């Protein structure tokens, strides 16, 4: 039997895919019917091929080949959501003469580094004030004044957001029944076929519910903490799938009154602010006056991925239905893949830290894991 001739090459592909369906109704001669309108979009980031064995006869045995792909700096982070995904895959293709090709695919996680230390404006504390009035004139009561303060504008997965909520209930007839604070993740999907349209998906990442009652004509200061789980960083480059985050505060007004809800956007990066790791409770009062961004040595390096493991079942199933790409051959589906994101796990400082110095400052790097 003659030996088969073949060719072997490796593909490295990265793209974003968006797809969802909407139900439409139409009326013809008084008869109403419904149909499904699909919305789609696709964006390619890289498609690189590396030939590892030219067309010929491959002898029996074990063969090892080296290959290398250059990843563009503007590639967005891998994500999987309900209506789309940003995915990267390496495929080994064995092109066999007069026979079907053999294709072996392996999905990968790509994380676009977001060093928060390169954005000094994130050192400024975030402050949001909200005023809620009960009823209206002539039955109006005193307002409820709320002030949310977050020490920093940016954090990394694994950190905890320590913030303060000040409530001044100047109402003479109403008490506040409770407070709920959530960290929410928002996906914005953009389709361009059959026409441009956007759709959003919102996930609650962590929350803190307090049965804190703020009685009428009284005030209270409440300290909260929200943990940031393993999530992709905030999107910085334009893409058909954008990721953003915000902190949402709900004040339970009770007595059949609508809750007072206000929110504050926040940035999630991959490398935390040095100041937030050292002192998570206090930010700076102004942006440092410098002509350029301060040099950061050790923290410029991306976190280690050596200990990154797949997320737990609870994490993987927490955000509802995942995207299924119907345009891919059913034999080559990799829709069960969930991206992995590094998480910082060691932000503890010694009880008696040594005197601050430039050398120690440049060497402080939190430990990362999955």
């Amino acid at each position: 039997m003659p030996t088969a001739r073949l060719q072997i090459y490796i593909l490295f592909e990265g793209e974003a895919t968006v797809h969802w369906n909407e139900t439409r109704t139409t009326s013809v001669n008084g008869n109403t019917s419904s149909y499904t309108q699909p919305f789609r979009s696709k964006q390619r980031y890289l498609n690189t091929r590396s030939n590892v064995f030219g067309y010929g006869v491959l002898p029996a045995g074990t063969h090892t080949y080296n290959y290398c792909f250059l990843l563009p700096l503007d590639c967005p982070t891998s994500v999987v959501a309900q209506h789309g995904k940003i995915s990267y895959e390496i495929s080994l293709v064995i092109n066999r003469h007069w026979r079907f090709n053999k294709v072996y695919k392996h999905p990968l996680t790509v994380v676009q580094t977001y060093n928060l230390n390169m954005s000094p404006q994130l050192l400024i504390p975030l402050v949001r004030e909200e005023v809620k009035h009960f009823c209206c004139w002539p039955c109006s009561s005193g307002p409820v004044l709320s002030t949310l303060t977050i020490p920093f504008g940016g954090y990394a997965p694994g950190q905890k957001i320590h913030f303060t909520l000040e409530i001044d209930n100047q109402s003479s007839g109403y008490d506040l029944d409770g407070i709920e604070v959530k960290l929410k993740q928002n996906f914005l999907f953009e389709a361009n076929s059959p026409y441009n349209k956007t759709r959003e998906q919102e996930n609650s990442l962590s929350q803190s519910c307090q049965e804190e009652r703020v009685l009428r004509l009284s005030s209270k200061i409440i300290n909260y903490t929200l943990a940031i789980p393993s999530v992709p960083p905030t999107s910085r480059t334009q893409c058909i799938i954008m990721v953003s985050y915000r902190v949402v505060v709900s004040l339970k007004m009770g007595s059949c009154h609508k809750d007072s809800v206000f929110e504050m956007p926040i940035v999630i990066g991959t490398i935390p602010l040095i100041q937030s790791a050292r002192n998570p409770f206090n930010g700076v009062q102004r942006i440092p006056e410098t002509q350029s961004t301060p040099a950061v040595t050790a923290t410029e390096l991306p976190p280690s991925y050596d200990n990154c493991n797949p997320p737990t079942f609870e994490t993987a199933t927490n955000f509802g239905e995942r995207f299924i790409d119907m345009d891919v051959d059913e034999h080559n589906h990799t829709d069960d893949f969930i991206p992995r994101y590094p998480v910082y796990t060691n932000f503890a400082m010694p009880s008696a830290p040594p005197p601050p110095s430039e050398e120690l400052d440049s060497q402080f790097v939190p430990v990362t894991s999955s």
Side-chain angles (χ1 to χ4, degrees):
M1 184 175 181
T3 305
R5 299 174 62 85
L6 50 82
Q7 181 186 29
I8 302 175
Y9 58 90
I10 297 175
L11 295 177
F12 189 15
E13 301 170 292
E15 65 179 15
T17 305
V18 169
H19 179 217
W20 75 84
N21 295 324
E22 295 185 7
T23 302
R24 296 283 190 267
T25 58
T26 182
S27 180
V28 179
N29 298 328
N31 297 324
T32 302
S33 59
S34 60
Y35 65 96
T36 300
Q37 175 68 68
F39 290 87
R40 299 172 180 268
S41 188
K42 185 165 288 190
Q43 204 170 51
R44 179 64 64 90
Y45 303 116
L46 61 100
N47 186 8
T48 305
R49 171 171 168 168
S50 177
N51 295 320
V52 297
F53 181 76
Y55 199 76
V57 178
L58 185 66
T62 301
H63 304 270
T64 302
Y65 303 96
N66 297 323
Y67 63 94
C68 179
F69 292 111
L70 180 63
L71 187 66
L73 294 177
D74 58 349
C75 283
T77 300
S78 303
V79 297
V80 175
Q82 183 177 357
H83 305 298
K85 69 176 181 178
I86 300 176
S87 60
Y88 299 87
E89 291 181 338
I90 284 186
S91 302
L92 172 65
V93 181
I94 302 178
N95 185 359
R96 302 183 295 177
H97 187 58
W98 294 109
R99 301 177 67 180
F100 290 107
N101 292 346
K102 284 284 189 178
V103 181
Y104 304 91
K105 289 190 173 185
H106 184 72
L108 300 174
T109 300
V110 172
V111 179
Q112 187 183 59
T113 301
Y114 192 168
N115 187 350
L116 300 179
N117 296 280
M118 298 296 102
S119 302
Q121 68 274 12
L122 297 178
L123 294 171
I124 303 298
L126 302 177
V127 181
R128 171 67 186 273
E129 296 180 348
E130 187 75 10
V131 180
K132 172 71 174 180
H133 291 275
F134 291 97
C135 303
C136 56
W137 189 88
C139 302
S140 62
S141 179
V144 176
L145 309 178
S146 306
T147 302
L148 175 66
T149 304
I150 300 179
F152 301 94
Y155 294 85
Q159 285 189 287
K160 292 183 178 180
I161 305 175
H162 301 269
F163 55 90
T164 302
L165 182 61
E166 301 180 33
I167 301 177
D168 183 9
N169 187 358
Q170 299 180 7
S171 170
S172 59
Y174 301 96
D175 301 331
L176 269 65
D177 293 339
I179 301 165
E180 183 180 69
V181 184
K182 292 183 179 181
L183 174 63
K184 290 194 173 184
Q185 177 189 64
N186 186 79
F187 285 102
L188 178 64
F189 307 95
E190 181 181 350
N192 54 30
S193 176
Y195 53 85
N196 291 336
K197 188 172 184 180
T198 60
R199 186 164 183 172
E200 294 188 23
Q201 175 191 349
E202 185 179 83
N203 301 318
S204 292
L205 303 180
S206 60
Q207 67 179 18
S208 178
C209 298
Q210 301 289 336
E211 298 297 330
E212 294 278 359
R213 298 200 68 194
V214 183
L215 303 179
R216 63 197 71 180
L217 301 178
S218 66
S219 60
K220 183 172 290 188
I221 299 178
I222 306 169
N223 295 314
Y224 282 97
T225 299
L226 285 177
I228 304 177
S230 174
V231 292
T234 300
S235 299
R236 290 181 293 166
T237 56
Q238 189 62 34
C239 179
I240 59 176
I241 303 178
M242 303 292 292
V243 187
S244 60
Y245 300 88
R246 67 187 192 276
V247 174
V248 180
V249 179
S250 300
L251 304 181
K252 308 299 181 181
M253 295 301 185
S255 301
C256 300
H257 289 283
K258 186 177 180 180
D259 295 345
S260 177
V261 180
F262 58 98
E263 60 187 46
M264 181 181 294
I266 198 168
V267 175
I268 303 296
T270 58
I271 300 178
L273 293 166
I274 297 179
Q275 291 83 349
S276 69
R278 293 198 185 106
N279 187 355
F281 299 97
N282 296 313
V284 299
Q285 300 302 316
R286 61 183 179 87
I287 298 178
E289 296 180 359
T290 175
Q291 296 296 327
S292 60
T293 305
V296 180
T297 55
T299 55
E300 286 182 351
L301 299 176
S304 172
Y305 293 81
D306 294 340
N307 296 323
C308 278
N309 296 317
T312 62
F313 177 80
E314 291 76 8
T315 303
T317 58
N318 185 38
F319 300 148
E321 184 179 355
R322 293 201 304 271
F323 177 76
I324 302 296
D325 191 355
M326 303 305 296
D327 297 330
V328 178
D329 182 4
E330 62 179 0
H331 299 292
N332 291 319
H333 268 299
T334 56
D335 294 316
D336 56 344
F337 175 76
I338 300 174
R340 316 175 191 184
Y341 309 109
V343 176
Y344 287 86
T345 59
N346 182 14
F347 288 96
M349 295 298 295
S351 58
S357 65
E358 293 183 1
E359 180 179 359
L360 291 176
D361 291 349
S362 64
Q363 294 179 353
F364 178 79
V365 182
V367 178
T368 64
S369 69
S370 63

